[in-house]
Structures are given as structure tokens and as C-alpha cells.
Amino acid sequence: TLYLAYEDSSSGEVRIAGSPAPFDALGGFAVGLGVEPALTVDANGVPDLVYRGSAFNSLERLRCGDASCASTNTQTLAGAGRGYAPSATRSNAGTLYVVHQEQASGTVLGTICNDTACASPQSITFDVGPGYGGRSVALSFANGRPLAIYRDALRADVRNSQCSTPACTA
């Protein structure tokens, strides 16, 4: 299945759409008010979407219950002002890993889900601002260690932070 996540500029909503091959009949639905969606799909074809919620600029997550998104679960992964410029990927264990920004301070943050439900997300501070973020890429090494690549606006440079363990304990 091909999935797309996008902002509907006319309604202010984040939307998700999907279609199995031959990808000619995209069906979709509105997730909620927000912007900057980032989409990742697990090994079973189940979509996971993170975005900046419009009410408090928090990091919001929509997890589909199956590949068709017939059922969904939503949750807030990071509080007010901490959901800017999210980027999402999967660890080699299949768990969600997100890089995002707290715009007021320019700090680059990470959120690691240690299980599929993300019952107790782990928060990480990669770099304390000002001037970091705005754009980011969340990656995972083959051995599962999270890697964050992000913008350093003050130095007009690109930086990276990497965890020394898959659980990002250091």
C-alpha cells in the first residue's frame, strides 16, 4: 500500500490517504487540525503519523490499528510548543523514533517509543538552542541506534547527534 500524509491548506487539517497497487484509488480521512506531517510505516504495513497539532503546537501521533486504518489511536507525544518540524522513522526493532523542535528555545528534541503503543515515550534533548531545528531527519543505524540530522541556522550548517545505544541511554 502507498500512503500519503499531507496538510489540507483549505481546512487546516492533516490528512492521510492510501491505496494498494496499482495505486489508482486513494482513499483517506482527516486526522485532525495540524501541520507538518511525517509518516512512517511498520513492517506489517501499518501507518504511524506524527504532526504538529495546531492547538498547542504539541507533537501529536496517530497510530493505525491495521493497514487499512479502520481503527486508530491518537496521543500526544510531546507537550505544548515541542512539536515543530517533526521527522519520523522506525528502529530496527520496529518502534517509532521522532526528531522534533521546541521553537521558542530552538532546542532539538527526540522521542523514542519503546513499544508499539508508545505507552511511556522517552524524551531526549539532542542540542540546546537557540537556532537549531526547523528541518530535521530521523534515521536509525542498522544496529538500531537513533541518529538525528538537523539544521543549525546560526552557523548555516547541518549537525547530527547520535545515540550510543538503541535505547538512547547515552
Side-chain angles (χ1 to χ4, degrees):
T1 300
L2 170 69
Y3 293 100
L4 302 171
Y6 59 96
E7 299 172 27
D8 183 338
S9 59
S10 64
S11 67
E13 295 172 312
V14 170
R15 300 184 68 83
I16 187 170
S19 174
F23 317 119
D24 58 356
L26 285 172
F29 60 93
V31 173
L33 294 176
V35 294
E36 301 174 343
L39 178 69
T40 183
V41 179
D42 72 12
N44 297 317
V46 178
D48 223 329
L49 176 74
V50 294
Y51 61 96
R52 177 168 50 103
S54 64
F56 301 104
N57 296 315
S58 54
L59 181 65
E60 305 292 332
R61 175 190 189 211
L62 173 109
R63 167 89 174 144
C64 292
D66 57 24
S68 68
C69 278
S71 66
T72 61
N73 179 31
T74 57
Q75 70 187 120
T76 300
L77 295 178
R82 303 184 124 218
Y84 286 84
S87 173
T89 193
R90 296 267 170 201
S91 71
N92 61 350
T95 56
L96 180 66
Y97 163 57
V98 184
V99 176
H100 50 104
Q101 178 192 13
E102 180 180 63
Q103 188 178 42
S105 66
T107 299
V108 176
L109 307 163
T111 298
I112 296 177
C113 295
N114 294 311
D115 58 23
T116 304
C118 204
S120 298
Q122 177 184 346
S123 298
I124 305 158
T125 300
F126 283 119
D127 231 330
V128 177
Y132 296 120
R135 302 281 186 268
S136 66
V137 177
L139 299 170
S140 183
F141 286 98
N143 65 3
R145 292 184 305 130
L147 170 66
I149 300 172
Y150 50 93
R151 181 174 170 232
D152 179 346
L154 296 176
R155 294 182 188 90
D157 203 355
V158 174
R159 296 180 60 100
N160 73 74
S161 292
Q162 50 190 298
C163 297
S164 59
T165 65
C168 208
T169 54

